[in-house]
Amino acid sequence: MLALYGHPFSSYTWKALIPLYANDIPFEFRVVGPDHPEHAAVVESAGPQGKFPVLDDDGRLIFEATSIVEHIAVCHDAYDLLPDDRHAALQLRMIDRVFDNYVMNVMQVVVDEYLRDANNPDLVRCEEARTRLTRTYRWLEQWLATYPANDRITLIECAAAPSLFYADWVHPIADEFPRLRAFRKHLLALPAVKRCVDDARPYRDWFPLGNPGRD
Ligand SMILES: N[C@@H](CCC(=O)N[C@@H](CS)C(=O)NCC(=O)O)C(=O)O
């Protein structure tokens, strides 16, 4: 029996939901929030910082979204997520780090500033983060020239979809990056991703920079 602890509006929760949906793996979704202190307690107990998502696989708790994707690949026969070839898998893991460390977590700097004080965010920190995002967008634009378009969902798509979805809300991907804009559009059209986007719609007004009213 699988259960996923997370929240429908949480970017890292999407990263764990996408491989479950894409591979039709049954699971119970346990929302982390004030209505379910028992869910929050499990999350608190799982990892060092009490972050979600957390996957419960028959009593075994797995935290960190990347580790959850890898767990699903290995323990639930979701072969497309990561190639068996250890050398080929290295490349996917490296790009996964790019999306977490240089898109998602940089975007989060701006989000955190607005969560701290929406009327008085530290604009210097925000500008630094936006500059870093532009630099990553430029790198991804070049990388995409080598990444063949396809409808498969691998660790890369699991990481890319939520990070590009929200990063574009924080710092829109400019016209000078057409491949990256097209990749984001392609990702949002994948059924497993679309399901995450749709399930999160009721929470859009929670976005600390304001509901962008698109996507
Ligand atoms: N490195 C973690 C990051 C997870 C993360 O930042 N989760 C956010 C939700 S998207 C969270 O738990 N926020 C609540 C908190 O930090 O207490 C992962 O990959 O799973």
Side-chain angles (χ1 to χ4, degrees), residues 77-116:
D77 302 336
Y79 301 113
D80 275 355
L81 292 174
L82 259 188
D84 278 345
D85 181 278
R86 292 196 304 154
H87 292 272
L90 289 178
Q91 180 68 14
L92 275 74
R93 292 192 172 104
M94 185 172 73
I95 300 300
D96 172 67
R97 296 298 76 221
V98 171
F99 283 109
D100 272 20
N101 291 330
Y102 307 125
V103 180
M104 194 95 102
N105 295 348
V106 180
M107 169 268 295
Q108 192 66 39
V109 170
V110 181
V111 169
D112 285 347
E113 274 304 316
Y114 280 80
L115 276 176
R116 188 183 57 75

Side-chain angles (χ1 to χ4, degrees), residues 10-13 15 49-53 63-66 100 108:
S10 139
S11 51
Y12 277 109
T13 300
K15 185 168 169 180
Q49 296 287 321
K51 293 195 178 287
F52 48 87
F63 60 91
E64 288 296 308
T66 297
D100 272 20
Q108 192 66 39

Side-chain angles (χ1 to χ4, degrees), residues 31-214:
V31 174
V32 177
D35 293 344
H36 295 286
E38 72 281 15
H39 297 172
V42 173
V43 168
E44 282 294 325
S45 75
Q49 296 287 321
K51 293 195 178 287
F52 48 87
V54 171
L55 185 73
D56 180 332
D57 189 345
D58 227 358
R60 183 174 163 201
L61 296 182
I62 298 108
F63 60 91
E64 288 296 308
T66 297
S67 301
I68 292 173
V69 179
E70 296 223 25
H71 179 90
I72 294 167
V74 171
C75 301
H76 295 274
D77 302 336
Y79 301 113
D80 275 355
L81 292 174
L82 259 188
D84 278 345
D85 181 278
R86 292 196 304 154
H87 292 272
L90 289 178
Q91 180 68 14
L92 275 74
R93 292 192 172 104
M94 185 172 73
I95 300 300
D96 172 67
R97 296 298 76 221
V98 171
F99 283 109
D100 272 20
N101 291 330
Y102 307 125
V103 180
M104 194 95 102
N105 295 348
V106 180
M107 169 268 295
Q108 192 66 39
V109 170
V110 181
V111 169
D112 285 347
E113 274 304 316
Y114 280 80
L115 276 176
R116 188 183 57 75
D117 186 349
N119 296 316
N120 191 26
D122 181 333
L123 294 178
V124 174
R125 285 200 82 202
C126 290
E127 198 46 43
E128 280 170 4
R130 290 177 202 279
T131 302
R132 291 176 63 202
L133 279 176
T134 300
R135 182 172 171 172
T136 308
Y137 291 169
R138 184 164 294 115
W139 188 91
L140 287 169
E141 182 72 10
Q142 294 310 313
W143 168 72
L144 280 167
T146 68
Y147 190 64
N150 63 75
D151 283 343
R152 279 178 45 211
I153 289 197
T154 71
L155 176 61
I156 289 179
E157 282 70 28
C158 297
S163 58
L164 291 176
F165 178 82
Y166 285 112
D168 187 59
W169 280 13
V170 164
H171 183 57
I173 302 168
D175 288 343
E176 66 182 295
F177 307 123
R179 283 190 285 261
L180 188 56
R181 287 168 63 96
F183 186 50
R184 181 179 183 273
K185 194 172 169 191
H186 158 79
L187 291 168
L188 298 194
L190 295 170
V193 178
K194 190 173 179 320
R195 193 164 164 189
C196 293
V197 173
D198 287 342
D199 288 349
R201 284 185 197 282
Y203 305 97
R204 285 184 173 201
D205 287 342
W206 291 10
F207 195 62
L209 283 79
N211 182 342
R214 60 183 169 87

